[in-house]
Amino acid sequence: MLRYRVSAFSSLPPAQRRYLYYLSQAALTGRDILWDQNCRYNLRIRRLLERIYTDYEGDRTCHDFQQFTVYLKRVWFSNGIHHHYGCEKFLPGFSEEFLRQAIEQTGQPIDEELLRVIFDPTVLPKRVNQAQGDDLLQTSACNYYAPEVTQEMAESFYSRQKTDDPRPPMYGLNSRLEVVGGRLEERVWRSGGMYGETIDRIIHWLRLAEAEAENEAQREVISTLVDFYRTGDLKTFDRYTIQWLQCTEGDIDFVNGFTEVYGDPLGLKASWEGYVNIKDKEATRRTETLSRNAQWFEDNSPIDQRFKKRECHGVTAKVVEAAMLGGDLYPSSAIGINLPNSNWVRQQYGSKSVTIGNLTHAYSEAAKGSGMREEFVIDKPTLDLLNQYDDLCDDLHTDLHECLGHGSGQLLKGVDPDCLKAYGNTIEETRADLFALYYIADPKLVELGLLPDPEAYKSQYYSYMLNGLLTQLVRIDEGKQIEEAHMRNRALIARWCLSRAEGAMRLVTLRGKTYLKIDDYPRLRQLVAELLAEVQRIKSEGDYGAARRLVETYGVSIDPTLHKEVLERYRRLDLAPYKGFINPVIKPVFSADGKLVDATIEYGEPYDHQMLRYGREYSSRDSH
Ligand code: ZN
């Protein structure tokens, strides 16, 4: 579990902190909706377990109780009894006898049904089953459809709703499909509907936030969202989405509602999530500086003149700090978010894209303490170099990649943008990464004040090549090849450079382990420039054969001996495979007459305290 810091909080005036406080309360309030969406037994199981965790008076040091604690922490982490990512039900490491006596000892009734759900591996084994040929609803434990609803029933129900409306609402998004009196019917999450009491409390916090909003546009967004929660009407939801999308003024922004559909095997129904963010002005200034100079970067790129854009505009990516994570974004969270999901809204109005800088930062801080670097980096001077510059260079690499890399260059007339087919994604990511690698070593970045000195880039070169050649292999199972486009692109760049480096960069064996050694960084930059020119040519001319050769030669297969070695070194570090975040506590400050005047932020709350407190303060009183 990691903590993230909200450094912008202290410089906000009290009015913005009040706004943030109300929005953060709204972001935490829908938590139980998500738990219930993930599986219909989750809330009952959580309450049962939490009672034991707080009240159990038996031996808390015994193996069973230790295993009980592990299980509860996993349930908290996954918002239910299924793995948050892999979706499989995890089984307890304690005995059923232990749980039975702990339930009785804490004065709770034995519920045989819950015991079966917890212990029997054949009961609800997967939250979301995607296996072809199965009835996906009958074999998935998620709670978006009543147990008696089959895939065929749901599919025909929703196919009947399809019309030729050019602006179709996202049918089914905020409802559970049930059989009522022999007929299929949607029960909607809204005021007066399913979880109506919880939704009313979200509305309560949103109303208070509305009064503290930074500007008229934000007030309008919140007011339409409240309308949507009141009515559950999906046309209103689209209206809210468009207003939210167009609302870019102000420092504070949020997401609150039924958003992503990964939890529904049919991809229709959205899990509830909430989060609040503050614009990171410093980081956003960085991306603005790059965008302002987009034409200089284009003109000086080491590619053929015919492939350059005459007029080049950078994209300003907004960098934000998360201030509160809730629902499906807590405790495991995305680090970049691009919304909305409605196709026609995206086509006509575009989308809002943010990078959550303080979460990325927390991840990289954690990586430092993991021992990964000490294990894989060749020597002390290189380690010092990485520790000094790598955070800064990583951020800058991402900015160059996103703000300039993807937008640079042009296709020759008549070239079909899709003609690289299955290799298109990898080639495009390769191009953007090479652009970033080439320019991170350019004195221009020091001149623009984005890097402190001309040596800093070496840290990015080392860590990038190390990742492409060795460390990213830890994410691939033994015997498998590289599949994912970003991973292919990193392997491609690093191995292509290695194959031509002639001593400038090589893999060496020390004490029986493989290390990366880089002796000539300027030569490496020349290779990056050469490859960028070639990859841009492939893209601009649509040279499918060359794309295929490059990707297949350098980006796919793995040397099995090296792979085995890397996996073995990684296993010995014994690292947690997934990470999540503990929220800060944003506390209200009231005046003597009970008016909210300000808010404060604190970070020290332990994981279990936070979970138990959320269980008390945001517990839904709706029946289920
Ligand atoms: Zn990219």
PDB file of all heavy atoms in Angstrom, residues 401-402 406 429 486, ligand 1:
ATOM      1  N   HIS A 401       6.974  12.385 -25.376  1.00  0.00           N
ATOM      2  CA  HIS A 401       6.259  11.332 -26.093  1.00  0.00           C
ATOM      3  C   HIS A 401       4.818  11.765 -26.403  1.00  0.00           C
ATOM      4  O   HIS A 401       4.371  11.699 -27.543  1.00  0.00           O
ATOM      5  CB  HIS A 401       6.296  10.062 -25.233  1.00  0.00           C
ATOM      6  CG  HIS A 401       5.516   8.902 -25.758  1.00  0.00           C
ATOM      7  ND1 HIS A 401       6.103   7.716 -26.136  1.00  0.00           N
ATOM      8  CD2 HIS A 401       4.182   8.704 -25.940  1.00  0.00           C
ATOM      9  CE1 HIS A 401       5.179   6.864 -26.542  1.00  0.00           C
ATOM     10  NE2 HIS A 401       3.997   7.434 -26.419  1.00  0.00           N
ATOM     11  N   GLU A 402       4.105  12.245 -25.361  1.00  0.00           N
ATOM     12  CA  GLU A 402       2.675  12.559 -25.518  1.00  0.00           C
ATOM     13  C   GLU A 402       2.438  13.894 -26.221  1.00  0.00           C
ATOM     14  O   GLU A 402       1.582  13.988 -27.089  1.00  0.00           O
ATOM     15  CB  GLU A 402       1.971  12.612 -24.152  1.00  0.00           C
ATOM     16  CG  GLU A 402       2.017  11.321 -23.348  1.00  0.00           C
ATOM     17  CD  GLU A 402       1.181  10.200 -23.955  1.00  0.00           C
ATOM     18  OE1 GLU A 402       0.368  10.479 -24.854  1.00  0.00           O
ATOM     19  OE2 GLU A 402       1.362   9.047 -23.526  1.00  0.00           O
ATOM     20  N   HIS A 406       3.896  11.845 -30.689  1.00  0.00           N
ATOM     21  CA  HIS A 406       2.804  11.305 -31.504  1.00  0.00           C
ATOM     22  C   HIS A 406       2.334  12.286 -32.571  1.00  0.00           C
ATOM     23  O   HIS A 406       1.873  11.886 -33.630  1.00  0.00           O
ATOM     24  CB  HIS A 406       1.619  10.919 -30.609  1.00  0.00           C
ATOM     25  CG  HIS A 406       1.795   9.589 -29.929  1.00  0.00           C
ATOM     26  ND1 HIS A 406       2.077   8.445 -30.630  1.00  0.00           N
ATOM     27  CD2 HIS A 406       1.746   9.244 -28.621  1.00  0.00           C
ATOM     28  CE1 HIS A 406       2.185   7.433 -29.774  1.00  0.00           C
ATOM     29  NE2 HIS A 406       1.995   7.892 -28.547  1.00  0.00           N
ATOM     30  N   GLU A 429       4.184   3.685 -31.335  1.00  0.00           N
ATOM     31  CA  GLU A 429       4.771   3.890 -30.004  1.00  0.00           C
ATOM     32  C   GLU A 429       6.293   3.990 -30.091  1.00  0.00           C
ATOM     33  O   GLU A 429       6.914   4.770 -29.369  1.00  0.00           O
ATOM     34  CB  GLU A 429       4.365   2.760 -29.054  1.00  0.00           C
ATOM     35  CG  GLU A 429       2.871   2.725 -28.710  1.00  0.00           C
ATOM     36  CD  GLU A 429       2.344   4.053 -28.195  1.00  0.00           C
ATOM     37  OE1 GLU A 429       3.086   4.761 -27.474  1.00  0.00           O
ATOM     38  OE2 GLU A 429       1.197   4.406 -28.524  1.00  0.00           O
ATOM     39  N   HIS A 486       3.468  -1.576 -26.249  1.00  0.00           N
ATOM     40  CA  HIS A 486       4.490  -0.737 -25.616  1.00  0.00           C
ATOM     41  C   HIS A 486       5.721  -1.558 -25.240  1.00  0.00           C
ATOM     42  O   HIS A 486       6.849  -1.098 -25.347  1.00  0.00           O
ATOM     43  CB  HIS A 486       3.941  -0.052 -24.367  1.00  0.00           C
ATOM     44  CG  HIS A 486       2.881   0.950 -24.664  1.00  0.00           C
ATOM     45  ND1 HIS A 486       1.562   0.584 -24.848  1.00  0.00           N
ATOM     46  CD2 HIS A 486       2.926   2.278 -24.828  1.00  0.00           C
ATOM     47  CE1 HIS A 486       0.862   1.668 -25.102  1.00  0.00           C
ATOM     48  NE2 HIS A 486       1.657   2.717 -25.096  1.00  0.00           N
TER      49      HIS A 486
HETATM   50 ZN    ZN B   1       2.117   6.618 -26.905  1.00  0.00          ZN
END
